[in-house]
């Protein structure tokens, strides 16, 4: 909470947020949104969705990032199922009992400098007070949050400053959707309501599975996840990574490996299968670039590294130096992506380039529904190892982020508000 920080730092933050506006604002309207607050949960996938939406709304240089942090070390790894507020209180009791000092250090936000140099703990009362105090000068405040741990903060801000804020919650909050101005969530989050899903759930458990009802008027459905890989970002990435990627033999096949998830489990068998398939298509590739996510188990990455580390046509990013992910999106001719990552698939499918998925048959529940949707829309195909990568194919790219931004603008217009970007 902000009470943990020095008075001097608080003043700096408040002054920075009050002064964060575009030149020459309209003097007669209090309905123009000129700045946004992003409330993250410390996970890149969730926070990228918020920042991607803010970018699409034209506020990429006029937003502040706050973060709801959950204790993670020691016994806290076993308590992640608790609501974050209760988890923090319990952590505080444990620390006092054990005599452990809690650091007041602020976490740096390395992705982008956005008005202040550090990310601060999200404080609903402070953000709501700022929205009320600056409303007549700077207009309404857009608040964009994503992830389960941000829900209580976002709803508290709405309760404390209902006339001064517009709250957008990304990812389904499961309950009480009417507490948000807008909810943006993938359509596969409503898979539990389908007849097929209902047949998979014992009747006595159905009342415990959310969501309980179809999406209401304040729910925007997307195919995949929102992200930052828009056309502008890809043009910048193409320029940034030009020297490294432009001279690579074509076609360039980018292989993104994630990690097993609860509804998309896999292990070394899939890694060995991927090795065989890549060997089979290697003849049709000029270059293969392989990268792993933070969730990739070492036992899986080790198999691919052992097989391809000495192959002159294969390059493996070792995690050192700048992350080439945006460069891959900009320069790749085709992608192979493990089925577990909605974010990586959503980004790749927004490029209009061929996207092949491995492991989709292992997915269950809403993950399987997501994979089925991608294939039905023709934006992704199963990877078989029989492909000729020189033979390209195309499709209408996924445009979820831009479409969601248009829905936000329309919802704002119903309140008489606009985006002043």
């Amino acid at each position: 909470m902000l009470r943990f920080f020095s008075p001097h730092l608080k003043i700096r933050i408040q002054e920075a947020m009050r002064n964060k506006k575009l030149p020459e604002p309209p003097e007669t309207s209090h309905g123009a949104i000129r700045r946004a607050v992003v409330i993250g949960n410390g996970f890149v996938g969730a926070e990228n969705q918020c920042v991607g939406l803010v970018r699409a709304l034209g506020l990429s240089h006029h937003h502040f990032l706050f973060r709801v942090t959950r204790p993670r070390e020691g016994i806290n790894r076993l308590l992640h199922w608790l609501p974050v507020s209760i988890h923090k209180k319990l952590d505080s009791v444990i620390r006092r009992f054990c005599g452990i000092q809690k650091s007041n250090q602020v976490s740096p936000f390395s992705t982008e400098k956005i008005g202040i140099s550090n990310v601060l703990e999200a404080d609903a009362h402070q953000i709501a007070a700022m929205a009320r105090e600056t409303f007549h000068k700077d207009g309404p405040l857009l608040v964009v949050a994503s992830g389960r741990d941000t829900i209580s903060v976002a709803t508290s801000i709405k309760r404390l400053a209902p006339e001064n804020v517009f709250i957008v919650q990304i990812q389904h909050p499961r309950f009480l959707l009417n507490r948000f101005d807008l909810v943006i969530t993938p359509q596969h989050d409503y898979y539990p309501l389908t007849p097929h899903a209902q047949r998979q759930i014992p009747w006595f458990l159905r009342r415990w599975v959310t969501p309980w009802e179809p999406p209401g008027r304040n729910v925007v459905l997307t195919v995949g996840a929102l992200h930052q890989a828009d056309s502008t970002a890809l043009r910048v990435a193409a320029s940034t990574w030009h020297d490294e990627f432009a001279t690579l033999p074509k076609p360039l096949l980018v292989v993104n490996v994630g990690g097993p998830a609860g509804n998309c489990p896999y292990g070394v068998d899939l890694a060995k299968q991927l090795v065989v398939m890549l060997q089979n298509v290697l003849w049709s590739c000029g270059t293969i670039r392989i990268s792993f996510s933070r969730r990739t188990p070492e036992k899986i990455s080790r198999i691919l590294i052992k097989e391809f580390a000495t192959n002159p046509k294969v390059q493996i990013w070792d995690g050192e130096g700048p992350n080439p992910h945006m460069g891959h999106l900009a320069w790749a001719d085709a992608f192979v992506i493990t089925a577990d990552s909605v974010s990586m698939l959503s980004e790749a499918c927004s490029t209009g380039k061929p996207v092949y998925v491995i492991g989709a048959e292992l997915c269950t529940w809403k993950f399987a529904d997501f994979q089925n949707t991608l294939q039905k829309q023709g934006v992704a195909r199963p990877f078989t190892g029989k492909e000729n990568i020189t033979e390209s194919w195309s499709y209408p790219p996924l445009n979820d982020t831009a479409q969601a931004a248009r829905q936000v603008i329309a919802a704002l217009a119903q309140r008489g508000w606009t985006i002043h970007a």
Side-chain angles (χ1 to χ4, degrees):
M1 296 296 182
L2 287 178
R3 62 175 179 273
F4 290 125
F5 302 102
S6 67
H8 177 69
L9 182 56
K10 291 185 196 176
I11 293 172
R12 280 183 55 224
I13 299 163
Q14 292 168 350
E15 290 178 349
M17 295 184 74
R18 290 192 183 102
N19 293 331
K20 196 71 172 179
K21 62 180 184 298
L22 291 174
E24 301 179 3
E27 297 180 357
T28 59
S29 174
H30 295 149
I33 292 178
R34 303 178 179 88
R35 68 262 156 87
V37 162
V38 168
I39 302 177
N41 60 359
F43 291 94
V44 174
E47 293 180 358
N48 274 348
Q49 294 199 63
C50 296
V51 177
L53 179 63
V54 168
R55 282 176 57 91
L57 291 169
L59 298 172
S60 58
H61 299 295
H62 299 268
H63 73 278
F64 299 85
L65 175 68
F66 291 84
R67 185 169 287 156
V68 179
T69 56
R70 179 183 288 271
R72 301 192 186 281
E73 67 279 3
I75 194 175
N76 288 297
R77 296 177 181 176
L78 304 176
L79 303 175
H80 63 88
W81 53 273
L82 287 171
V84 65
S85 57
I86 297 176
H87 189 174
K88 285 185 174 183
K89 291 177 181 177
L90 184 58
D91 176 69
S92 178
V93 171
I94 293 173
R95 287 179 176 274
R96 283 200 301 268
F97 181 77
C98 298
I100 301 173
Q101 294 295 320
K102 185 173 183 179
S103 171
N104 289 338
Q105 184 178 359
V106 186
S107 303
F109 182 51
S110 58
T111 303
E112 184 180 7
K113 299 299 182 183
I114 44 179
I116 54 178
S117 61
N118 295 306
V119 176
L120 299 180
E121 183 74 12
D123 185 309
H125 289 273
Q126 191 273 340
I127 296 172
M130 182 273 296
R132 293 193 302 267
E133 293 167 5
T134 62
F135 179 77
H136 291 287
K137 180 181 179 182
D138 293 329
L141 179 67
L142 176 67
V143 178
V144 183
S146 180
R148 177 169 63 98
D149 289 345
T150 68
I151 292 172
S152 61
V153 174
T155 55
S156 294
I157 294 171
K158 179 66 176 177
R159 175 176 53 82
L160 294 167
E163 303 301 321
N164 314 109
V165 299
F166 190 90
I167 306 293
V168 178
Q169 186 73 30
I170 300 175
Q171 297 182 338
H172 202 286
R174 300 177 70 86
F175 304 104
L176 303 173
L177 273 63
N178 60 341
R179 294 188 178 184
F180 307 94
D181 292 299
L182 211 60
V183 173
I184 302 174
T185 191
Q187 61 190 32
H188 60 256
D189 276 345
Y190 282 89
Y191 173 74
L193 295 182
T194 64
H196 184 264
Q198 289 289 304
R199 288 193 296 269
Q200 295 177 276
I201 310 170
W203 66 268
F204 56 88
L205 293 178
R206 289 174 187 171
R207 66 184 302 267
W208 302 103
V209 176
T210 55
W212 292 334
E213 56 187 21
R217 296 180 60 185
N218 68 328
V219 176
V220 175
L221 296 180
T222 62
V223 174
L226 307 189
H227 52 79
Q228 299 188 56
D230 55 26
S231 58
T232 301
L234 292 180
R235 283 196 298 270
V236 171
S239 175
T240 301
W241 292 92
H242 177 274
D243 292 345
E244 184 163 349
F245 292 158
T247 58
L248 293 178
K250 297 289 188 175
L252 170 58
L253 176 65
V254 168
V255 181
N256 289 331
V257 182
N263 288 319
C264 197
Y266 60 85
V268 296
D269 288 346
L270 187 69
K272 293 177 180 178
Q273 181 183 354
L274 178 58
V275 165
V276 173
M277 290 179 172
L278 290 177
Q279 288 172 334
N280 289 341
V281 302
L282 192 58
W283 67 271
S284 65
C285 300
T287 308
I288 293 180
R289 296 262 310 182
I290 301 175
S291 64
F292 305 103
S293 76
R294 295 179 180 88
R295 299 184 297 105
T296 308
E298 185 178 353
K299 62 183 180 181
I300 289 177
S301 60
R302 191 188 305 121
I303 291 172
L304 289 157
I305 292 171
K306 180 180 178 181
E307 182 63 35
F308 294 112
T310 59
N311 192 308
K313 294 182 69 173
V314 180
Q315 300 177 3
I316 301 176
W317 182 53
D318 59 4
E320 299 295 327
N323 190 328
H325 179 62
M326 291 298 294
H328 285 166
L329 290 173
W331 283 97
D333 296 297
F335 301 90
V336 171
I337 301 176
T338 54
D340 57 276
S341 179
V342 175
S343 295
M344 288 195 298
L345 284 167
S346 300
E347 289 170 337
C349 291
S350 73
T351 66
K353 302 171 184 178
V355 177
Y356 299 100
V357 184
I358 182 169
E361 70 281 359
L362 301 174
C363 294
T364 60
W365 201 238
K366 65 180 185 179
F367 270 59
D369 189 61
F370 172 62
Q371 298 296 336
N372 290 336
T373 299
L374 294 184
Q375 293 187 30
K376 286 179 181 178
Q377 293 195 6
V379 300
R381 298 178 181 178
F383 187 47
T384 65
K386 300 177 181 178
E387 291 78 8
N388 180 348
I389 304 303
T390 63
E391 297 177 357
S392 186
W393 47 277
S394 61
Y395 51 86
L398 289 188
N399 203 20
D400 284 330
T401 308
Q403 291 173 1
R406 289 193 286 269
Q407 294 282 355
V408 171
I409 292 171
L412 287 169
Q414 293 181 0
R415 293 185 62 172
W417 292 354
T418 60
I419 296 287
H420 186 74

